[in-house]
Amino acid sequence: MAISTKIQNYMERASWIRKMFEQGIELKAKIGADKVFDFSLGNPNLEPPEEVRKAILETMGDERPGKHAYMPNAGLKETREAVASFLSKEHGIPMTWEQIIMTCGAGGGLNVALKAILDHGDEVIVLSPYFVEYLFYVDNHNGVGKLAKTSVDFTLDLEEIEAAINPKTKAIVLNSPNNPSGRIYDEISLKKLGKLFEKIKQKNGQSIYILSDEPYSKIVYDGAKVPSVFQAYSESIIATSYSKDLSLPGERIGYLAVNPRMENWKQVIDGLTFCNRILGFVNAPALMQRILVKLQGVAVNVSEYKSKRDNLSRGLSAAGYSFFKPEGAFYLFPKSPIADDVKFVNILLQENILAVPGTGFGTPGHFRLAYCVEDRVIEGSLEGFRRAIHKVSR
Ligand SMILES: Cc1ncc(COP(=O)(O)O)c(C=O)c1O
């Protein structure tokens, strides 16, 4: 046995996206990439804004030595200051650089946070539909993922969440705007959730963290804004990155921000810093940290994603698909016209359309389309979407 049985099993369970990716490569080799409509991956198709290239060139032009050296595990002070200043304005709460830890993307940040807060067997509530990796991340740190459903329109279902809480509950992971639903959790529900956790704390002293995974917070449409989790609840930590809003997923740069109102924020920051080190990240990439000082508030042109969302929504609606129109991120999560979403995704594949079954996100009966693709992919796919729904409605 070359690898552990556990990892072998996990790889099989998590193979939906990989399967589509591999089938996509095969199909592209067979019929030509331009004839395949690939909606399987959340890899941003927009290039980073021009400011990113400029900042990299400027940084490299600075000939002072030490640019690439090790640094404190939490990151460069100037970068943490720039992020804290940006977040203070966004959340309307004064923050200092000490409440920020630079991480290897949001994924790295979530692992650091879970490592720091979980004892063996602690439970973490994960809401379905969920980003596939959460359950693995929780398990990485000896936690147990506890699933709770969102409502039919993918908003927070507080009763479901309350029913999932028990004395072992240590945290909940929220992801808004959501991958795959595109939903933004509204301020009132977020505050109610905060109140629920405060009530539990008062009753039996149990502290439950909100880990708010927000890599899509700047990719929002129609004037929407992601409500501040820091305003809603004090025991909250934000994990985010520049993977999506600056189109830098391969550079692995993001951060954790700890709510300044958290009772033990200093201790939590010390724990997070230590975990960034012992997980082997050591520190987030140095060059990326340096450029971020100049890039706070910069983002890709979100109107391009909006136009893709609108074009795909229009085409899918006209073809007879039903779905909730995304408020943010770059995913559509339509209902499968037949109950068996895996079967329907295979029917789409016959039309050279690559999608991911909702089953892979803990929500069967749906499928996910990542529309961070070229416009021609959307336009070219619509006839295939029409034929596919037609096939199953005869
Ligand atoms: C909801 C969600 N969280 C986290 C990540 C990981 O992003 P990063 O590249 O910042 O690690 C992704 C990436 O697709 C995501 O969709």
Side-chain angles (χ1 to χ4, degrees):
M1 177 64 85
I3 55 172
S4 75
T5 318
K6 179 164 130 178
I7 293 299
Q8 183 81 43
N9 290 340
Y10 278 7
M11 284 167 71
E12 272 156 35
R13 247 175 52 197
S15 60
W16 296 111
I17 294 184
R18 196 164 41 94
K19 247 186 225 155
M20 292 318 295
F21 185 61
E22 280 160 11
Q23 279 172 331
I25 292 175
E26 223 174 89
L27 195 61
K28 283 172 193 169
K30 204 161 113 193
I31 65 170
D34 57 323
K35 297 195 183 62
V36 178
F37 310 111
D38 188 351
F39 296 95
S40 65
L41 285 182
N43 204 5
N45 74 302
L46 302 182
E47 280 301 305
E50 176 58 17
E51 289 95 324
V52 170
R53 203 178 66 88
K54 274 200 193 130
I56 292 175
L57 291 176
E58 268 171 35
T59 306
M60 291 315 291
D62 177 349
E63 287 177 7
R64 278 174 296 180
K67 260 200 294 294
H68 308 287
Y70 284 128
M71 64 178 75
N73 300 120
L76 293 172
K77 185 173 178 211
E78 72 230 53
T79 311
R80 297 164 72 196
E81 271 171 351
V83 171
S85 154
F86 175 76
L87 287 184
S88 300
K89 282 180 232 132
E90 286 285 292
H91 291 268
I93 302 179
M95 294 196 67
T96 75
W97 63 279
E98 292 152 293
Q99 287 142 355
I100 308 295
I101 293 189
M102 302 310 297
T103 62
C104 294
L110 287 167
N111 273 281
V112 166
L114 291 165
K115 177 88 179 163
I117 63 171
L118 293 183
D119 277 312
H120 205 287
D122 279 350
E123 291 187 4
V124 178
I125 299 174
V126 171
L127 303 179
S128 59
Y130 48 73
F131 173 55
V132 184
E133 312 300 75
Y134 291 151
L135 296 173
F136 300 122
Y137 292 173
V138 170
D139 178 75
N140 282 347
H141 309 292
N142 298 315
V144 177
K146 176 101 177 194
L147 295 179
K149 286 193 179 118
T150 50
S151 309
V152 278
D153 61 356
F154 308 121
T155 52
L156 287 182
D157 183 334
L158 293 167
E159 283 177 19
E160 277 279 330
I161 294 174
E162 191 164 4
I165 296 172
N166 66 47
K168 283 188 165 288
T169 308
K170 196 51 155 304
I172 183 170
V173 180
L174 298 185
N175 169 222
S176 166
N178 186 265
N179 172 10
S181 73
R183 189 47 112 173
I184 297 174
Y185 300 141
D186 67 87
E187 188 176 350
I188 293 173
S189 316
L190 216 52
K191 287 195 165 153
K192 280 190 185 157
L193 183 64
K195 287 258 166 348
L196 170 67
F197 289 166
E198 278 159 19
K199 207 174 74 191
I200 291 170
K201 172 109 190 237
Q202 274 161 16
K203 206 165 128 202
N204 60 14
Q206 179 182 7
S207 251
I208 302 177
Y209 289 104
I210 294 183
L211 291 186
S212 191
D213 179 26
E214 304 185 0
Y216 302 97
S217 61
K218 294 202 201 100
I219 303 179
V220 291
Y221 310 120
D222 310 320
K225 190 165 186 329
V226 178
S228 166
V229 71
F230 283 174
Q231 290 284 0
Y233 182 55
S234 61
E235 307 299 290
S236 50
I237 299 173
I238 292 174
T240 191
S241 74
Y242 300 89
S243 293
K244 315 290 173 168
D245 56 40
L246 285 181
S247 285
L248 292 173
E251 301 297 348
R252 313 307 307 134
I253 185 70
Y255 61 83
L256 288 168
V258 174
N259 195 332
R261 294 174 178 166
M262 187 185 285
E263 207 179 327
N264 299 318
W265 71 262
K266 279 206 169 92
Q267 195 188 349
V268 170
I269 282 284
D270 287 348
L272 296 171
T273 306
F274 180 70
C275 291
N276 208 26
R277 172 183 138 198
I278 64 168
L279 282 172
F281 296 124
V282 182
N283 58 250
L287 182 57
M288 288 301 117
Q289 290 197 47
R290 289 181 197 284
I291 70 163
L292 284 176
V293 177
K294 301 175 180 145
L295 295 170
Q296 292 307 303
V298 177
V300 291
N301 183 359
V302 174
S303 67
E304 293 199 38
Y305 287 133
K306 179 185 179 310
S307 142
K308 293 175 200 298
R309 177 201 66 164
D310 292 343
N311 291 342
L312 186 58
S313 299
R314 218 175 295 120
L316 290 177
S317 274
Y321 290 87
S322 89
F323 55 90
F324 155 75
K325 198 169 180 184
E327 298 166 302
F330 38 54
Y331 307 99
L332 251 156
F333 200 53
K335 261 201 182 125
S336 166
I338 51 174
D340 186 342
D341 51 320
V342 177
K343 188 167 170 197
F344 189 68
V345 160
N346 278 315
I347 292 171
L348 288 174
L349 188 61
Q350 289 162 16
E351 301 295 337
N352 301 333
I353 294 171
L354 305 181
V356 185
T359 302
F361 304 91
T363 309
H366 294 76
F367 60 97
R368 189 192 77 171
L369 302 171
Y371 58 81
C372 43
V373 294
E374 285 174 43
D375 292 339
R376 63 150 197 96
V377 176
I378 295 172
E379 281 147 28
S381 68
L382 295 180
E383 187 53 42
F385 277 116
R386 272 195 288 275
R387 275 197 299 265
I389 198 168
H390 204 68
K391 267 186 202 164
V392 296
S393 355
R394 276 182 299 198

